[in-house]
Amino acid sequence: MELCREYRIPHSYFRGRGDGTWSDLDRRKALAYATYSRSVCSQCGTRAEEWDENAGGDEDAYTAITHRCIGCQIIADKQKTVPGGDEGHGVKVLLIPTSVHAALEISRTQTNHD
């Protein structure tokens, strides 16, 4: 349903059974998925019912673990070099593949020599 939402297509069409028009079942599925999506915490990705024993959940439904993302670590390290104040306003740190960076550097060098 997530892909159907992203591509704005009926579920039946996604499954190869429909002609692209929205059936009553497609609409009900889309509405149910929207309702479900609104119940998911945007930060942790869980739903309150999963924790609520009265709703069939379990207070130990999930275990918190740590995970290091090297990309996020590199971004955080580089972010420390962004100047403060007006000079740093709007500066974003992002990752690009090393090969793309090398090609950009070559392009800049050639442009500066022309």
Side-chain angles (χ1 to χ4, degrees):
M1 288 304 299
E2 184 176 342
L3 285 174
C4 293
R5 180 179 179 180
E6 182 176 337
Y7 293 115
R8 300 174 189 263
I9 59 171
H11 188 248
S12 58
Y13 189 70
F14 173 76
R15 295 187 66 201
R17 297 193 177 146
D19 60 4
T21 58
W22 286 79
S23 69
D24 182 56
L25 180 58
D26 288 323
R27 286 188 291 278
R28 286 185 287 143
K29 286 179 181 181
L31 289 169
Y33 182 72
T35 300
Y36 170 84
S37 295
R38 284 190 299 272
S39 72
V40 176
C41 174
S42 62
Q43 184 170 346
C44 72
T46 68
R47 296 176 307 112
E49 294 79 15
E50 294 176 290
W51 301 98
D52 184 355
E53 291 181 359
N54 294 327
D58 182 349
E59 68 179 21
D60 295 320
Y62 291 86
T63 300
I65 63 168
T66 59
H67 165 77
R68 180 181 311 272
C69 173
I70 302 302
C72 291
Q73 178 181 347
I74 291 169
I75 287 173
D77 290 343
K78 187 69 172 179
Q79 191 69 42
K80 293 174 188 173
T81 68
V82 174
D86 289 344
E87 192 177 339
H89 288 178
V91 174
K92 305 280 190 244
V93 176
L94 52 110
L95 296 175
I96 60 172
T98 301
S99 59
V100 172
H101 181 260
L104 289 170
E105 288 300 309
I106 290 170
S107 176
R108 281 190 203 122
T109 303
Q110 289 175 350
T111 302
N112 290 339
H113 290 300
D114 289 344

